[in-house]
mmCIF file of all heavy atoms in Angstrom:
data_model
loop_
_atom_site.group_PDB
_atom_site.id
_atom_site.type_symbol
_atom_site.label_atom_id
_atom_site.label_comp_id
_atom_site.label_asym_id
_atom_site.label_seq_id
_atom_site.Cartn_x
_atom_site.Cartn_y
_atom_site.Cartn_z
ATOM 1 N N ASP A 29 -11.949 4.965 3.483
ATOM 2 C CA ASP A 29 -12.505 4.640 4.843
ATOM 3 C C ASP A 29 -11.831 5.494 5.941
ATOM 4 O O ASP A 29 -11.852 5.144 7.066
ATOM 5 C CB ASP A 29 -12.347 3.162 5.121
ATOM 6 C CG ASP A 29 -10.895 2.650 4.853
ATOM 7 O OD1 ASP A 29 -10.072 3.391 4.390
ATOM 8 O OD2 ASP A 29 -10.661 1.455 5.189
ATOM 9 N N ALA A 30 -11.141 6.548 5.549
ATOM 10 C CA ALA A 30 -10.478 7.467 6.524
ATOM 11 C C ALA A 30 -10.274 8.786 5.880
ATOM 12 O O ALA A 30 -10.743 9.045 4.752
ATOM 13 C CB ALA A 30 -9.152 6.846 6.957
ATOM 14 N N SER A 31 -9.577 9.705 6.547
ATOM 15 C CA SER A 31 -9.323 11.050 5.997
ATOM 16 C C SER A 31 -8.231 10.982 4.934
ATOM 17 O O SER A 31 -7.243 10.303 5.124
ATOM 18 C CB SER A 31 -8.891 11.985 7.130
ATOM 19 O OG SER A 31 -9.906 12.123 8.041
ATOM 20 N N ASP A 32 -8.435 11.706 3.881
ATOM 21 C CA ASP A 32 -7.407 11.858 2.828
ATOM 22 C C ASP A 32 -6.281 12.690 3.407
ATOM 23 O O ASP A 32 -6.451 13.550 4.317
ATOM 24 C CB ASP A 32 -7.971 12.601 1.641
ATOM 25 C CG ASP A 32 -8.912 11.740 0.834
ATOM 26 O OD1 ASP A 32 -9.118 10.555 1.159
ATOM 27 O OD2 ASP A 32 -9.535 12.287 -0.098
ATOM 28 N N PHE A 33 -5.049 12.456 2.928
ATOM 29 C CA PHE A 33 -3.910 13.285 3.346
ATOM 30 C C PHE A 33 -2.928 13.410 2.139
ATOM 31 O O PHE A 33 -3.050 12.648 1.221
ATOM 32 C CB PHE A 33 -3.254 12.800 4.603
ATOM 33 C CG PHE A 33 -2.436 11.544 4.381
ATOM 34 C CD1 PHE A 33 -1.069 11.526 4.173
ATOM 35 C CD2 PHE A 33 -3.077 10.273 4.505
ATOM 36 C CE1 PHE A 33 -0.381 10.401 4.001
ATOM 37 C CE2 PHE A 33 -2.356 9.147 4.361
ATOM 38 C CZ PHE A 33 -1.012 9.112 4.101
ATOM 39 N N CYS A 34 -2.119 14.379 2.203
ATOM 40 C CA CYS A 34 -1.108 14.566 1.155
ATOM 41 C C CYS A 34 0.291 14.742 1.838
ATOM 42 O O CYS A 34 0.400 15.093 2.989
ATOM 43 C CB CYS A 34 -1.448 15.795 0.314
ATOM 44 S SG CYS A 34 -1.376 17.371 1.200
ATOM 45 N N VAL A 35 1.264 14.316 1.077
ATOM 46 C CA VAL A 35 2.616 14.517 1.481
ATOM 47 C C VAL A 35 3.247 15.509 0.482
ATOM 48 O O VAL A 35 3.180 15.352 -0.707
ATOM 49 C CB VAL A 35 3.401 13.225 1.439
ATOM 50 C CG1 VAL A 35 4.829 13.436 1.799
ATOM 51 C CG2 VAL A 35 2.733 12.192 2.387
ATOM 52 N N ILE A 36 3.885 16.508 1.021
ATOM 53 C CA ILE A 36 4.554 17.525 0.207
ATOM 54 C C ILE A 36 6.061 17.362 0.455
ATOM 55 O O ILE A 36 6.557 17.455 1.586
ATOM 56 C CB ILE A 36 4.043 18.936 0.566
ATOM 57 C CG1 ILE A 36 2.519 19.025 0.316
ATOM 58 C CG2 ILE A 36 4.821 19.957 -0.231
ATOM 59 C CD1 ILE A 36 1.917 20.285 0.714
ATOM 60 N N LEU A 37 6.776 17.138 -0.642
ATOM 61 C CA LEU A 37 8.209 16.950 -0.570
ATOM 62 C C LEU A 37 8.847 18.151 -1.291
ATOM 63 O O LEU A 37 8.539 18.428 -2.394
ATOM 64 C CB LEU A 37 8.624 15.670 -1.305
ATOM 65 C CG LEU A 37 7.809 14.419 -0.946
ATOM 66 C CD1 LEU A 37 8.043 13.341 -1.954
ATOM 67 C CD2 LEU A 37 8.176 13.994 0.455
ATOM 68 N N SER A 38 9.703 18.808 -0.592
ATOM 69 C CA SER A 38 10.384 20.000 -1.161
ATOM 70 C C SER A 38 11.895 19.894 -1.068
ATOM 71 O O SER A 38 12.408 19.516 -0.089
ATOM 72 C CB SER A 38 9.885 21.281 -0.454
ATOM 73 O OG SER A 38 10.516 22.382 -0.984
ATOM 74 N N GLN A 39 12.532 20.330 -2.110
ATOM 75 C CA GLN A 39 13.989 20.452 -2.164
ATOM 76 C C GLN A 39 14.424 21.923 -2.258
ATOM 77 O O GLN A 39 15.512 22.212 -2.497
ATOM 78 C CB GLN A 39 14.532 19.673 -3.352
ATOM 79 C CG GLN A 39 14.288 18.152 -3.309
ATOM 80 C CD GLN A 39 14.712 17.451 -4.540
ATOM 81 O OE1 GLN A 39 14.838 18.019 -5.609
ATOM 82 N NE2 GLN A 39 15.007 16.170 -4.444
ATOM 83 N N GLU A 40 13.423 22.777 -2.034
ATOM 84 C CA GLU A 40 13.730 24.243 -2.051
ATOM 85 C C GLU A 40 14.373 24.657 -0.778
ATOM 86 O O GLU A 40 13.986 24.176 0.335
ATOM 87 C CB GLU A 40 12.392 24.983 -2.223
ATOM 88 C CG GLU A 40 11.699 24.764 -3.556
ATOM 89 C CD GLU A 40 12.429 25.281 -4.740
ATOM 90 O OE1 GLU A 40 13.130 26.303 -4.612
ATOM 91 O OE2 GLU A 40 12.306 24.703 -5.795
ATOM 92 N N PRO A 41 15.350 25.587 -0.794
ATOM 93 C CA PRO A 41 15.973 26.072 0.448
ATOM 94 C C PRO A 41 14.926 26.771 1.378
ATOM 95 O O PRO A 41 14.080 27.479 0.904
ATOM 96 C CB PRO A 41 16.976 27.102 -0.043
ATOM 97 C CG PRO A 41 17.075 26.933 -1.563
ATOM 98 C CD PRO A 41 15.863 26.221 -1.983
ATOM 99 N N GLY A 42 14.988 26.435 2.603
ATOM 100 C CA GLY A 42 14.163 27.054 3.618
ATOM 101 C C GLY A 42 12.804 26.360 3.780
ATOM 102 O O GLY A 42 12.011 26.726 4.618
ATOM 103 N N GLU A 43 12.529 25.366 2.955
ATOM 104 C CA GLU A 43 11.244 24.627 3.072
ATOM 105 C C GLU A 43 11.504 23.315 3.776
ATOM 106 O O GLU A 43 12.575 22.736 3.692
ATOM 107 C CB GLU A 43 10.710 24.302 1.678
ATOM 108 C CG GLU A 43 10.258 25.485 0.890
ATOM 109 C CD GLU A 43 8.994 26.059 1.461
ATOM 110 O OE1 GLU A 43 8.116 25.344 1.896
ATOM 111 O OE2 GLU A 43 8.925 27.327 1.489
ATOM 112 N N PRO A 44 10.486 22.801 4.584
ATOM 113 C CA PRO A 44 10.652 21.498 5.202
ATOM 114 C C PRO A 44 10.840 20.412 4.140
ATOM 115 O O PRO A 44 10.123 20.475 3.141
ATOM 116 C CB PRO A 44 9.367 21.341 6.058
ATOM 117 C CG PRO A 44 8.497 22.457 5.705
ATOM 118 C CD PRO A 44 9.248 23.430 4.822
ATOM 119 N N PRO A 45 11.721 19.456 4.328
ATOM 120 C CA PRO A 45 11.998 18.447 3.265
ATOM 121 C C PRO A 45 10.809 17.541 3.041
ATOM 122 O O PRO A 45 10.566 17.165 1.915
ATOM 123 C CB PRO A 45 13.173 17.700 3.793
ATOM 124 C CG PRO A 45 13.244 17.997 5.194
ATOM 125 C CD PRO A 45 12.612 19.281 5.462
ATOM 126 N N ALA A 46 10.027 17.201 3.992
ATOM 127 C CA ALA A 46 8.834 16.376 3.819
ATOM 128 C C ALA A 46 7.901 16.629 4.984
ATOM 129 O O ALA A 46 8.254 16.596 6.116
ATOM 130 C CB ALA A 46 9.293 14.957 3.732
ATOM 131 N N PHE A 47 6.669 16.894 4.643
ATOM 132 C CA PHE A 47 5.633 17.000 5.663
ATOM 133 C C PHE A 47 4.294 16.560 5.139
ATOM 134 O O PHE A 47 4.040 16.669 3.918
ATOM 135 C CB PHE A 47 5.570 18.412 6.283
ATOM 136 C CG PHE A 47 5.074 19.467 5.387
ATOM 137 C CD1 PHE A 47 3.753 19.863 5.300
ATOM 138 C CD2 PHE A 47 6.006 20.180 4.534
ATOM 139 C CE1 PHE A 47 3.348 20.868 4.476
ATOM 140 C CE2 PHE A 47 5.529 21.191 3.661
ATOM 141 C CZ PHE A 47 4.218 21.523 3.636
ATOM 142 N N ALA A 48 3.451 16.072 5.995
ATOM 143 C CA ALA A 48 2.169 15.572 5.568
ATOM 144 C C ALA A 48 1.093 16.418 6.238
ATOM 145 O O ALA A 48 1.250 16.933 7.330
ATOM 146 C CB ALA A 48 1.991 14.105 6.016
ATOM 147 N N ARG A 49 -0.056 16.551 5.567
ATOM 148 C CA ARG A 49 -1.211 17.239 6.185
ATOM 149 C C ARG A 49 -2.425 16.595 5.665
ATOM 150 O O ARG A 49 -2.465 15.957 4.604
ATOM 151 C CB ARG A 49 -1.143 18.749 5.856
ATOM 152 C CG ARG A 49 -1.334 19.028 4.384
ATOM 153 C CD ARG A 49 -1.287 20.471 4.107
ATOM 154 N NE ARG A 49 -1.242 20.659 2.649
ATOM 155 C CZ ARG A 49 -1.952 21.467 1.971
ATOM 156 N NH1 ARG A 49 -2.799 22.279 2.596
ATOM 157 N NH2 ARG A 49 -1.888 21.532 0.643
ATOM 158 N N TYR A 50 -3.528 16.720 6.453
ATOM 159 C CA TYR A 50 -4.781 16.142 6.041
ATOM 160 C C TYR A 50 -5.487 17.047 5.003
ATOM 161 O O TYR A 50 -5.212 18.220 4.984
ATOM 162 C CB TYR A 50 -5.702 15.957 7.282
ATOM 163 C CG TYR A 50 -5.213 14.818 8.126
ATOM 164 C CD1 TYR A 50 -4.511 15.044 9.319
ATOM 165 C CD2 TYR A 50 -5.474 13.520 7.741
ATOM 166 C CE1 TYR A 50 -4.040 13.994 10.066
ATOM 167 C CE2 TYR A 50 -4.967 12.450 8.490
ATOM 168 C CZ TYR A 50 -4.332 12.697 9.637
ATOM 169 O OH TYR A 50 -3.824 11.644 10.427
ATOM 170 N N GLY A 51 -6.267 16.463 4.174
ATOM 171 C CA GLY A 51 -7.022 17.172 3.159
ATOM 172 C C GLY A 51 -6.458 16.866 1.778
ATOM 173 O O GLY A 51 -5.878 15.828 1.541
ATOM 174 N N GLU A 52 -6.711 17.738 0.837
ATOM 175 C CA GLU A 52 -6.281 17.582 -0.514
ATOM 176 C C GLU A 52 -5.311 18.631 -0.944
ATOM 177 O O GLU A 52 -5.256 19.728 -0.363
ATOM 178 C CB GLU A 52 -7.536 17.612 -1.477
ATOM 179 C CG GLU A 52 -8.424 16.434 -1.253
ATOM 180 C CD GLU A 52 -9.533 16.404 -2.296
ATOM 181 O OE1 GLU A 52 -9.342 17.005 -3.392
ATOM 182 O OE2 GLU A 52 -10.534 15.797 -2.007
ATOM 183 N N VAL A 53 -4.494 18.315 -1.947
ATOM 184 C CA VAL A 53 -3.527 19.303 -2.468
ATOM 185 C C VAL A 53 -3.811 19.459 -3.974
ATOM 186 O O VAL A 53 -4.185 18.499 -4.662
ATOM 187 C CB VAL A 53 -2.101 18.763 -2.183
ATOM 188 C CG1 VAL A 53 -1.797 17.490 -2.975
ATOM 189 C CG2 VAL A 53 -1.051 19.823 -2.528
ATOM 190 N N GLU A 54 -3.586 20.648 -4.462
ATOM 191 C CA GLU A 54 -3.744 20.887 -5.906
ATOM 192 C C GLU A 54 -2.512 20.529 -6.635
ATOM 193 O O GLU A 54 -1.406 20.643 -6.158
ATOM 194 C CB GLU A 54 -4.047 22.336 -6.133
ATOM 195 C CG GLU A 54 -5.430 22.822 -5.675
ATOM 196 C CD GLU A 54 -5.736 24.245 -6.077
ATOM 197 O OE1 GLU A 54 -5.237 24.674 -7.154
ATOM 198 O OE2 GLU A 54 -6.504 24.889 -5.322
ATOM 199 N N GLY A 55 -2.653 20.023 -7.864
ATOM 200 C CA GLY A 55 -1.520 19.720 -8.715
ATOM 201 C C GLY A 55 -0.650 18.561 -8.173
ATOM 202 O O GLY A 55 0.581 18.609 -8.281
ATOM 203 N N ALA A 56 -1.272 17.500 -7.633
ATOM 204 C CA ALA A 56 -0.528 16.384 -7.176
ATOM 205 C C ALA A 56 0.243 15.705 -8.315
ATOM 206 O O ALA A 56 -0.365 15.481 -9.384
ATOM 207 C CB ALA A 56 -1.462 15.388 -6.455
ATOM 208 N N ALA A 57 1.489 15.397 -8.091
ATOM 209 C CA ALA A 57 2.279 14.655 -9.117
ATOM 210 C C ALA A 57 1.859 13.217 -9.167
ATOM 211 O O ALA A 57 1.946 12.537 -10.135
ATOM 212 C CB ALA A 57 3.760 14.779 -8.774
#
Side-chain angles (χ1 to χ4, degrees):
D29 51 357
S31 297
D32 291 353
F33 70 96
C34 62
V35 176
I36 300 173
L37 311 167
S38 179
Q39 297 175 334
E40 297 290 330
E43 293 290 324
F47 66 94
R49 65 181 171 134
Y50 288 102
E52 293 187 23
V53 65
E54 289 186 32

